Amino acid sequence: DGGITQSPKYLFRKEGQNVTLSCEQNLNHDAMYWYRQDPGQGLRLIYYSQIVNDFQKGDIAEGYSVSREKKESFPLTVTSAQKNPTAFYLCASRGRLVNEKLFFGSGTQLSVL
Amino acid sequence: RKEVEQDPGPFNVPEGATVAFNCTYSNSASQSFFWYRQDCRKEPKLLMSVYSSGNEDGRFTAQLNRASQYISLLIRDSKLSDSATYLCVVRRDKIIFGKGTRLHILP
């Protein structure tokens, strides 16, 4: 079955540590997105990529980094520069058509120890 | 001004009532528009796309007014299962979500 997979479901980070969240899709989608959601808040865009080997900053990119070496994969690294990383992280992808919907992964809850 | 703004909510309405959600967007170059529904700590799911001609899906009706940069969602005959957060979504080169409006349907 086609879909988008995020792992792990829960992740804990120690102070000063970098952690990487995985996002893989087998939908042959060009565009992929990372969002952060805080309790009671909407989704805020961290990074997005419209094609392999290219990505752009979203509204809250500071303290995060991404790569897009393969079409299927768009990992997000939360660096030690991100001082408030505790949040629910959602990865999404979409196809090329104008009104095509976003497909979401099931999310990763990141907490700081 | 935020790129996508929604009613702050929450809305607490009795079962069977009609509920209206409003959303405005700031960038006139926006190309496509959606309403998503999100249950607590789950990923958002597409409720419906929104077209200028207006569109309906059962109890749900969505409208887009490009001149006013305004999007609406109407839910008729609300059910307990409609309780969720409703997110307005706008796309140009990137996809921007509103903060969402929480809906509680009361028995």
Side-chain angles (χ1 to χ4, degrees), chain B residues 36-51:
Chain B
Y36 276 73
R37 169 198 168 124
Q38 187 179 27
D39 294 289
C40 192
R41 275 301 180 233
K42 297 282 183 70
E43 70 274 21
K45 293 192 186 300
L46 178 68
L47 186 61
M48 55 200 308
S49 302
V50 189
Y51 305 110

Side-chain angles (χ1 to χ4, degrees), chain A residues 33 35 37 39 41-43 45 48 50 58-59 88 90 94 97-102 104-106 109, chain B residues 3 31-34 36 38 41-44 46 49-51 87 91 93-100:
Chain A
Y33 305 81
Y35 292 91
Q37 188 172 33
Q41 300 293 314
L43 279 68
L45 183 62
Y48 64 107
Q50 304 211 71
D59 300 316
F88 187 51
L90 283 157
R94 66 182 294 275
L97 300 178
V98 170
N99 280 316
E100 197 152 343
K101 69 174 186 177
L102 280 173
F104 280 93
S106 56
Q109 175 64 49
Chain B
E3 231 176 308
Q31 297 172 303
S32 47
F33 310 88
F34 309 87
Y36 276 73
Q38 187 179 27
R41 275 301 180 233
K42 297 282 183 70
E43 70 274 21
L46 178 68
S49 302
V50 189
Y51 305 110
L87 300 162
R91 187 189 82 84
D93 53 343
K94 52 185 181 178
I95 299 178
I96 304 296
F97 283 73
K99 281 194 170 183

Side-chain angles (χ1 to χ4, degrees), chain A residues 74-87:
Chain A
F74 191 39
L76 174 74
T77 296
V78 185
T79 74
S80 56
Q82 173 48 248
K83 297 305 178 191
N84 185 22
T86 296

